[in-house]
Amino acid sequence: MTSRRPTQAAGAGLAGAVVVALAGCGSATPAVTTAARQVGSAGTITVYSGQHQQTVGALVQDFQNRTGIEVHVRSGDEADLANQLLQEGTSSPADVFFAENPPSLSILDEKHLLATVRPATLALVPRQASSAAGHWVGVSARAAALVYNTQAVAEKDLPTSVLDLGRPEMKGRVAVAPSETDFQPVVTRVVGARGSEATAAWLTALKDNAKVYDSNESLIRAVNRGEIAMGLVDHYYWYRMRDEVGNGGVHSALHYFPPADAGGLVDISGAAVVASGQHQDLAQRFVAYLVSEPAQRIIATSESWEYPLLPGVPDPRLPPLAQLTSPVVDLGTGREALDLLQQAGLL
């Protein structure tokens, strides 16, 4: 299964730190060649990536073949990499930062560490999927979902709101992985919908009800084998688990909360150019490549199971993104969500 980043220490550390992003590109889409160019013949860049390693590896290989630009990738937890960028400052070797969720990008943006992405790159994806200031571009999307064991929960009994997971009747039936960075955007959405005090009460109730897992991978396997009835994850974990166990081993399904609910969240993975990077033009070209058709088709067919964002490149394997809800970009820095999770004892 695709490797993922650990999160608890990283997420907590990010609360007091800053993050950096990627920069612009020379052209909206790199030139396509009929034969692979010699890697390194056109220069070298360094990418700090919190995204899925296998998909990033495929994207980098294709980009290198098309451009001759060599890409050195440093993979890890997005919060760890953001903190590293903050500590390195202008001496960082990073040219590009590729994140799973907007908060780490927002932290870097807050510290003025991101360059402006070229307008031609930003124009390739829907405007609401990128930074309003143009400091990072949306590359792919993932949807928050409730995974449930189909033998333990009838479809008619599924909760209609993420807030229902804090109700007394959910005690012992729900699972969470709060140290995952995917969980914090949901908490931020609850804060936006109900305020800090109500969110703190919901998290306290959730801690009392839920079984806590150290990762979404372990959570979703537990639900699938019936160890726990349901759990909150991002959609792609279920598809990757299905790839692993095969259709005959699947005993679970996904349930999406309605768009108006705080749990009806479509989150964005984005890329940015590091303002202090020494290879601005090459970094801009790499970021532009990520939203080009060749790259988006790699994402649409990858085992990451995320949604591509380039119009005209749907992923027919997934429910149409338009049926879920609009992407949410403004998730702040995530600091309040981390504070509330720590206060509730979930971190």
Side-chain angles (χ1 to χ4, degrees):
M1 182 171 282
T2 306
S3 60
R4 275 267 314 175
R5 300 128 305 283
T7 48
Q8 179 161 356
L14 190 60
V18 185
V19 184
V20 180
L22 302 175
C25 47
S27 59
T29 303
V32 177
T33 58
T34 55
R37 297 181 179 178
Q38 182 179 355
V39 173
S41 62
T44 301
I45 59 171
T46 297
V47 174
Y48 283 11
S49 173
Q51 260 290 10
H52 304 125
Q53 292 182 27
Q54 288 88 341
T55 300
V56 171
L59 292 168
V60 164
Q61 186 62 57
D62 187 54
F63 176 75
Q64 290 183 149
N65 291 341
R66 290 172 181 274
T67 65
I69 300 169
E70 185 173 7
V71 180
H72 293 167
V73 179
R74 184 174 297 179
S75 293
D77 175 83
E78 61 181 338
D80 286 342
L81 293 170
N83 283 333
Q84 184 173 346
L85 272 166
L86 292 173
Q87 293 167 4
E88 293 170 341
T90 56
S91 62
S92 175
D95 297 294
V96 171
F97 182 67
F98 194 5
E100 277 198 313
N101 299 283
S104 58
L105 290 160
S106 296
I107 290 173
L108 292 177
D109 195 21
E110 183 182 78
K111 297 296 183 182
H112 309 292
L113 296 174
L114 306 184
T116 300
V117 176
R118 289 174 176 158
T121 300
L122 294 167
L124 290 176
V125 298
R127 182 177 178 182
Q128 69 270 25
S130 300
S131 156
H135 293 164
W136 56 269
V137 63
V139 175
S140 59
R142 71 276 301 283
L146 189 74
V147 58
Y148 65 99
N149 186 286
T150 52
Q151 297 169 342
V153 184
E155 191 171 352
K156 65 180 179 59
D157 295 328
L158 288 167
T160 57
S161 169
V162 71
L163 299 177
D164 291 343
L165 303 183
R167 298 174 63 177
E169 57 267 35
M170 288 293 180
K171 189 174 181 61
R173 292 177 57 77
V174 62
V176 293
S179 63
E180 291 275 12
T181 53
D182 293 331
F183 188 78
Q184 294 154 21
V186 175
V187 177
T188 297
R189 284 272 286 171
V190 175
V191 171
R194 298 301 178 99
S196 300
E197 186 174 344
T199 303
W202 174 67
L203 288 173
T204 298
L206 192 59
K207 183 176 185 298
D208 188 50
N209 286 349
K211 183 170 183 177
V212 174
Y213 290 83
D214 61 0
S215 70
N216 284 328
E217 286 89 349
S218 57
L219 182 159
I220 208 158
R221 291 185 194 118
V223 171
N224 192 60
R225 64 175 175 263
E227 179 179 301
I228 190 84
M230 64 188 84
L232 194 61
V233 293
D234 274 354
H235 78 279
Y236 63 86
Y237 288 97
W238 184 84
Y239 289 96
R240 289 161 56 188
M241 181 272 297
R242 188 185 66 178
D243 285 348
E244 187 176 70
V245 304
N247 288 334
V250 175
H251 308 292
S252 56
L254 291 177
H255 167 65
Y256 296 95
F257 293 110
D261 187 71
L265 172 66
V266 170
D267 198 2
I268 296 295
S269 297
V273 175
V274 178
S276 61
Q278 298 301 303
H279 310 96
Q280 292 290 303
D281 181 67
L282 302 186
Q284 291 279 0
R285 291 181 64 186
F286 181 73
V287 171
Y289 164 77
L290 293 177
V291 291
S292 69
E293 182 171 344
Q296 293 283 293
R297 291 200 180 281
I298 288 174
I299 292 170
T301 55
S302 76
E303 58 187 55
S304 290
W305 290 97
E306 293 192 51
Y307 286 93
L309 289 176
L310 183 70
V313 186
D315 186 341
R317 306 171 301 173
L318 297 171
L321 191 58
Q323 290 183 4
L324 302 179
T325 186
S326 297
V328 175
V329 171
D330 186 11
L331 291 169
T333 62
R335 291 192 183 98
E336 184 173 14
L338 287 170
D339 288 344
L340 290 170
L341 284 164
Q342 290 169 341
Q343 290 169 21
L346 285 165
L347 288 179

Coordinates of all heavy atoms in Angstrom, one line a residue, residues 95-157:
D95 N 13.1 23.8 -3.7 CA 12.6 24.7 -4.7 C 11.1 24.6 -4.8 O 10.4 25.6 -5.2 CB 13.2 24.3 -6.1 CG 14.7 24.4 -6.2 OD1 15.1 25.6 -6.1 OD2 15.3 23.4 -6.3
V96 N 10.5 23.5 -4.4 CA 9.1 23.3 -4.5 C 8.6 22.6 -3.2 O 9.3 21.7 -2.7 CB 8.7 22.4 -5.7 CG1 7.3 21.9 -5.7 CG2 9.0 23.1 -7.0
F97 N 7.4 22.9 -2.7 CA 6.8 22.2 -1.6 C 5.4 21.7 -2.1 O 4.6 22.4 -2.7 CB 6.5 23.2 -0.4 CG 5.9 22.5 0.8 CD1 6.6 21.6 1.5 CD2 4.6 22.9 1.2 CE1 6.1 21.0 2.6 CE2 4.1 22.3 2.3 CZ 4.8 21.3 3.0
F98 N 5.2 20.4 -1.9 CA 4.0 19.7 -2.4 C 3.3 19.1 -1.2 O 3.8 18.2 -0.5 CB 4.4 18.6 -3.4 CG 3.3 18.0 -4.2 CD1 2.1 18.5 -4.2 CD2 3.6 16.9 -5.1 CE1 1.1 17.9 -5.0 CE2 2.7 16.4 -5.9 CZ 1.4 16.8 -5.8
A99 N 2.1 19.7 -0.9 CA 1.4 19.3 0.4 C 0.2 18.5 0.1 O -0.4 18.6 -0.9 CB 1.1 20.6 1.2
E100 N -0.2 17.8 1.2 CA -1.5 17.0 1.1 C -2.7 17.9 1.4 O -3.8 17.7 0.9 CB -1.5 15.9 2.1 CG -0.8 14.6 1.6 CD -1.2 13.4 2.5 OE1 -1.2 13.6 3.7 OE2 -1.5 12.4 1.9
N101 N -2.5 18.9 2.3 CA -3.6 19.7 2.8 C -3.2 21.2 2.8 O -2.0 21.5 3.0 CB -4.0 19.3 4.2 CG -4.5 17.9 4.2 OD1 -5.6 17.5 3.8 ND2 -3.6 17.0 4.7
P102 N -4.2 22.1 2.7 CA -3.9 23.6 2.6 C -3.2 24.1 3.9 O -2.4 25.1 3.8 CB -5.2 24.2 2.4 CG -6.0 23.2 1.7 CD -5.6 21.9 2.3
P103 N -3.5 23.6 5.1 CA -2.9 24.3 6.3 C -1.4 24.5 6.3 O -0.9 25.6 6.6 CB -3.4 23.5 7.5 CG -4.7 22.9 7.0 CD -4.5 22.6 5.6
S104 N -0.7 23.5 5.9 CA 0.8 23.6 5.9 C 1.2 24.7 4.8 O 2.2 25.4 5.1 CB 1.5 22.3 5.6 OG 1.0 21.7 4.3
L105 N 0.5 24.7 3.7 CA 0.8 25.8 2.8 C 0.5 27.2 3.3 O 1.2 28.1 3.1 CB 0.0 25.5 1.5 CG 0.4 24.3 0.6 CD1 -0.7 23.9 -0.3 CD2 1.7 24.7 -0.2
S106 N -0.6 27.2 4.1 CA -1.0 28.5 4.6 C 0.0 29.0 5.7 O 0.2 30.2 5.8 CB -2.4 28.4 5.3 OG -3.4 28.1 4.3
I107 N 0.5 28.1 6.4 CA 1.5 28.5 7.4 C 2.8 29.1 6.7 O 3.3 30.1 7.2 CB 1.9 27.3 8.3 CG1 0.7 26.9 9.2 CG2 3.1 27.6 9.1 CD1 0.9 25.7 10.0
L108 N 3.2 28.5 5.7 CA 4.4 29.0 4.9 C 4.0 30.3 4.3 O 4.8 31.2 4.2 CB 4.8 28.0 3.9 CG 5.4 26.7 4.4 CD1 5.7 25.8 3.3 CD2 6.6 27.0 5.2
D109 N 2.8 30.4 3.8 CA 2.4 31.6 3.1 C 2.3 32.8 4.1 O 2.7 33.9 3.8 CB 1.0 31.4 2.5 CG 0.6 32.5 1.5 OD1 1.6 33.2 1.0 OD2 -0.6 32.7 1.2
E110 N 1.9 32.4 5.3 CA 1.8 33.4 6.4 C 3.2 34.0 6.7 O 3.3 35.2 7.1 CB 1.2 32.8 7.6 CG 1.0 33.7 8.8 CD 0.5 32.9 10.0 OE1 1.3 32.2 10.7 OE2 -0.8 32.9 10.2
K111 N 4.2 33.3 6.5 CA 5.6 33.7 6.8 C 6.2 34.3 5.5 O 7.5 34.5 5.5 CB 6.4 32.5 7.3 CG 5.9 32.0 8.7 CD 6.0 33.1 9.7 CE 5.6 32.6 11.1 NZ 5.6 33.6 12.1
H112 N 5.4 34.5 4.5 CA 5.9 35.1 3.2 C 7.1 34.2 2.6 O 8.0 34.7 2.0 CB 6.4 36.5 3.4 CG 5.5 37.3 4.2 ND1 4.3 37.7 3.6 CD2 5.5 37.8 5.4 CE1 3.6 38.5 4.5 NE2 4.3 38.5 5.6
L113 N 6.9 32.9 2.7 CA 7.9 32.0 2.1 C 7.6 31.4 0.8 O 8.3 30.6 0.2 CB 8.2 30.8 3.1 CG 8.7 31.3 4.5 CD1 8.8 30.1 5.4 CD2 10.1 31.9 4.3
L114 N 6.4 31.8 0.2 CA 6.0 31.3 -1.0 C 6.0 32.3 -2.1 O 5.7 33.5 -1.9 CB 4.5 30.7 -0.9 CG 4.3 29.7 0.2 CD1 2.8 29.2 0.1 CD2 5.2 28.6 0.1
A115 N 6.5 31.9 -3.3 CA 6.5 32.8 -4.5 C 5.1 32.7 -5.1 O 4.3 31.9 -4.8 CB 7.5 32.3 -5.5
T116 N 4.8 33.7 -6.0 CA 3.5 33.7 -6.7 C 3.6 32.7 -7.9 O 4.5 32.7 -8.7 CB 3.2 35.1 -7.2 OG1 3.1 36.0 -6.1 CG2 1.9 35.1 -8.0
V117 N 2.6 31.8 -7.9 CA 2.5 30.9 -9.1 C 2.1 31.6 -10.3 O 1.3 32.5 -10.2 CB 1.5 29.8 -8.8 CG1 1.4 28.8 -10.0 CG2 2.0 29.0 -7.5
R118 N 2.7 31.3 -11.4 CA 2.4 32.0 -12.7 C 0.9 31.9 -13.0 O 0.3 30.8 -12.9 CB 3.3 31.5 -13.8 CG 4.7 31.9 -13.7 CD 5.6 31.3 -14.7 NE 7.0 31.8 -14.5 CZ 8.0 31.2 -15.0 NH1 7.9 30.0 -15.6 NH2 9.2 31.7 -14.8
P119 N 0.3 33.0 -13.5 CA -1.1 33.0 -13.8 C -1.5 31.9 -14.8 O -2.6 31.4 -14.6 CB -1.3 34.4 -14.4 CG -0.2 35.3 -13.8 CD 0.9 34.4 -13.6
A120 N -0.7 31.6 -15.7 CA -1.1 30.6 -16.7 C -1.2 29.2 -16.0 O -2.1 28.4 -16.5 CB 0.0 30.5 -17.8
T121 N -0.5 29.0 -15.0 CA -0.6 27.7 -14.2 C -1.9 27.7 -13.4 O -2.6 26.8 -13.4 CB 0.6 27.6 -13.3 OG1 1.8 27.5 -14.1 CG2 0.5 26.3 -12.5
L122 N -2.1 28.8 -12.7 CA -3.3 28.9 -11.9 C -4.6 28.8 -12.7 O -5.6 28.3 -12.3 CB -3.3 30.3 -11.1 CG -2.2 30.5 -10.1 CD1 -2.1 31.9 -9.7 CD2 -2.4 29.6 -8.9
A123 N -4.5 29.3 -14.0 CA -5.7 29.3 -14.8 C -6.1 27.9 -15.3 O -7.2 27.7 -15.8 CB -5.5 30.2 -16.0
L124 N -5.2 26.9 -15.1 CA -5.5 25.6 -15.6 C -6.6 24.8 -14.7 O -7.2 23.9 -15.2 CB -4.3 24.7 -15.7 CG -3.3 25.2 -16.8 CD1 -2.0 24.4 -16.7 CD2 -3.9 25.0 -18.2
V125 N -6.7 25.2 -13.5 CA -7.6 24.5 -12.6 C -8.6 25.5 -12.1 O -8.4 26.7 -12.1 CB -6.9 23.8 -11.4 CG1 -5.9 22.8 -11.9 CG2 -6.1 24.9 -10.6
P126 N -9.8 25.0 -11.6 CA -10.8 25.9 -11.1 C -10.2 26.9 -10.0 O -9.5 26.5 -9.2 CB -11.8 24.9 -10.4 CG -11.7 23.7 -11.2 CD -10.2 23.6 -11.5
R127 N -10.6 28.1 -10.2 CA -10.1 29.2 -9.3 C -10.2 28.9 -7.8 O -9.3 29.2 -7.0 CB -10.8 30.5 -9.6 CG -10.3 31.7 -8.9 CD -11.0 33.0 -9.3 NE -10.5 34.1 -8.6 CZ -11.0 35.3 -8.8 NH1 -12.0 35.5 -9.7 NH2 -10.5 36.3 -8.1
Q128 N -11.3 28.3 -7.4 CA -11.6 28.0 -6.0 C -10.7 26.9 -5.4 O -10.7 26.6 -4.2 CB -13.0 27.7 -5.7 CG -13.5 26.4 -6.3 CD -14.1 26.5 -7.7 OE1 -13.7 27.4 -8.4 NE2 -15.0 25.6 -8.1
A129 N -9.9 26.2 -6.3 CA -9.1 25.1 -5.9 C -7.7 25.5 -5.5 O -6.9 24.7 -5.2 CB -9.1 24.0 -6.9
S130 N -7.4 26.8 -5.7 CA -6.0 27.3 -5.4 C -6.0 28.5 -4.4 O -7.1 29.0 -4.1 CB -5.4 27.8 -6.8 OG -5.3 26.7 -7.7
S131 N -4.9 28.8 -4.0 CA -4.7 30.0 -3.1 C -5.3 31.2 -3.7 O -5.1 31.5 -4.9 CB -3.2 30.2 -2.8 OG -3.0 31.5 -2.4
A132 N -6.1 32.0 -2.9 CA -6.7 33.2 -3.5 C -5.7 34.2 -3.9 O -5.9 35.0 -4.8 CB -7.7 33.8 -2.4
A133 N -4.5 34.2 -3.2 CA -3.4 35.1 -3.5 C -2.5 34.6 -4.6 O -1.6 35.3 -5.0 CB -2.6 35.3 -2.2
G134 N -2.8 33.4 -5.0 CA -2.0 32.8 -6.1 C -0.6 32.3 -5.7 O 0.3 32.1 -6.5
H135 N -0.5 31.9 -4.4 CA 0.8 31.5 -3.9 C 0.9 30.0 -3.9 O 2.0 29.5 -3.5 CB 1.0 32.0 -2.4 CG 1.1 33.5 -2.4 ND1 1.0 34.3 -1.3 CD2 1.4 34.4 -3.4 CE1 1.2 35.6 -1.6 NE2 1.4 35.6 -2.9
W136 N -0.1 29.2 -4.2 CA 0.0 27.8 -4.5 C -1.2 27.4 -5.4 O -2.2 28.1 -5.4 CB 0.0 27.0 -3.2 CG -1.1 27.2 -2.2 CD1 -1.1 28.0 -1.2 CD2 -2.4 26.4 -2.2 NE1 -2.3 27.9 -0.5 CE2 -3.1 27.0 -1.1 CE3 -2.9 25.4 -3.0 CZ2 -4.4 26.5 -0.8 CZ3 -4.2 24.9 -2.6 CH2 -4.9 25.5 -1.5
V137 N -1.0 26.3 -6.1 CA -2.0 25.8 -7.0 C -2.5 24.5 -6.6 O -1.8 23.6 -6.1 CB -1.4 25.8 -8.5 CG1 -0.3 24.7 -8.5 CG2 -2.5 25.4 -9.5
G138 N -3.9 24.3 -6.7 CA -4.5 23.0 -6.3 C -4.1 22.0 -7.4 O -4.2 22.2 -8.6
V139 N -3.7 20.8 -6.9 CA -3.3 19.7 -7.9 C -4.2 18.6 -7.9 O -4.5 18.0 -8.9 CB -1.9 19.2 -7.5 CG1 -1.4 18.0 -8.3 CG2 -0.8 20.4 -7.6
S140 N -4.7 18.2 -6.7 CA -5.7 17.1 -6.6 C -6.6 17.3 -5.4 O -6.4 18.2 -4.6 CB -4.9 15.7 -6.5 OG -4.1 15.7 -5.4
A141 N -7.6 16.5 -5.3 CA -8.6 16.6 -4.2 C -8.9 15.3 -3.6 O -8.8 14.2 -4.2 CB -9.9 17.3 -4.7
R142 N -9.3 15.3 -2.3 CA -9.8 14.1 -1.6 C -11.0 14.5 -0.8 O -11.1 15.7 -0.3 CB -8.7 13.5 -0.7 CG -8.3 14.3 0.5 CD -7.3 15.4 0.3 NE -6.1 14.9 -0.2 CZ -5.2 14.3 0.6 NH1 -5.4 14.2 1.9 NH2 -4.1 13.9 0.0
A143 N -11.9 13.6 -0.6 CA -13.2 13.9 0.1 C -13.2 13.2 1.5 O -12.8 12.0 1.6 CB -14.4 13.4 -0.7
A144 N -13.6 13.9 2.5 CA -13.8 13.3 3.8 C -15.0 12.3 3.7 O -16.0 12.6 3.0 CB -14.1 14.3 4.9
A145 N -15.0 11.2 4.4 CA -16.0 10.2 4.3 C -16.1 9.4 5.5 O -15.1 9.3 6.3 CB -15.8 9.3 3.0
L146 N -17.2 8.7 5.7 CA -17.4 7.8 6.8 C -17.3 6.4 6.2 O -18.2 6.0 5.4 CB -18.7 8.0 7.5 CG -18.9 7.2 8.8 CD1 -18.1 7.9 10.0 CD2 -20.4 7.2 9.2
V147 N -16.4 5.6 6.6 CA -16.3 4.2 6.2 C -17.1 3.4 7.3 O -16.9 3.6 8.5 CB -14.9 3.7 6.1 CG1 -14.1 3.9 7.3 CG2 -14.8 2.3 5.6
Y148 N -17.9 2.5 6.8 CA -18.7 1.7 7.7 C -18.7 0.2 7.3 O -18.6 -0.1 6.1 CB -20.1 2.2 7.8 CG -21.0 2.1 6.6 CD1 -21.9 1.0 6.4 CD2 -20.9 3.0 5.6 CE1 -22.7 0.9 5.3 CE2 -21.6 2.9 4.4 CZ -22.5 1.9 4.3 OH -23.3 1.8 3.1
N149 N -18.8 -0.6 8.3 CA -18.8 -2.1 8.0 C -20.3 -2.4 7.7 O -21.2 -2.1 8.4 CB -18.4 -2.9 9.3 CG -18.3 -4.4 9.0 OD1 -19.3 -5.0 8.9 ND2 -17.1 -4.9 8.9
T150 N -20.4 -3.0 6.5 CA -21.8 -3.2 5.9 C -22.6 -4.3 6.7 O -23.8 -4.4 6.5 CB -21.7 -3.5 4.4 OG1 -20.8 -4.6 4.3 CG2 -21.2 -2.3 3.6
Q151 N -21.8 -5.1 7.5 CA -22.5 -6.1 8.2 C -22.9 -5.6 9.6 O -23.7 -6.2 10.3 CB -21.6 -7.4 8.4 CG -21.3 -8.0 7.0 CD -20.2 -9.1 7.1 OE1 -19.4 -9.1 8.0 NE2 -20.2 -9.9 6.1
A152 N -22.3 -4.5 10.0 CA -22.6 -3.9 11.4 C -23.5 -2.7 11.3 O -24.2 -2.4 12.4 CB -21.3 -3.5 12.0
V153 N -23.6 -2.1 10.2 CA -24.4 -0.8 10.1 C -25.3 -0.9 8.9 O -24.8 -1.1 7.7 CB -23.5 0.4 10.1 CG1 -24.4 1.7 10.1 CG2 -22.6 0.4 11.2
A154 N -26.6 -0.7 9.0 CA -27.5 -0.6 7.9 C -27.4 0.8 7.3 O -27.2 1.7 8.0 CB -28.9 -0.9 8.3
E155 N -27.5 0.9 6.0 CA -27.4 2.2 5.3 C -28.4 3.2 5.9 O -28.1 4.4 6.0 CB -27.6 2.0 3.8 CG -27.3 3.2 3.0 CD -27.3 2.9 1.5 OE1 -27.4 1.8 1.1 OE2 -27.2 3.9 0.7
K156 N -29.6 2.7 6.3 CA -30.6 3.6 6.8 C -30.3 4.2 8.2 O -30.8 5.2 8.6 CB -32.0 2.9 6.8 CG -32.0 1.7 7.8 CD -33.4 1.1 7.8 CE -33.5 -0.1 8.8 NZ -33.2 0.3 10.2
D157 N -29.3 3.5 8.8 CA -28.9 4.0 10.2 C -27.7 4.8 10.2 O -27.2 5.2 11.3 CB -28.7 2.7 11.1 CG -30.0 1.9 11.3 OD1 -31.1 2.5 11.3 OD2 -29.9 0.7 11.4

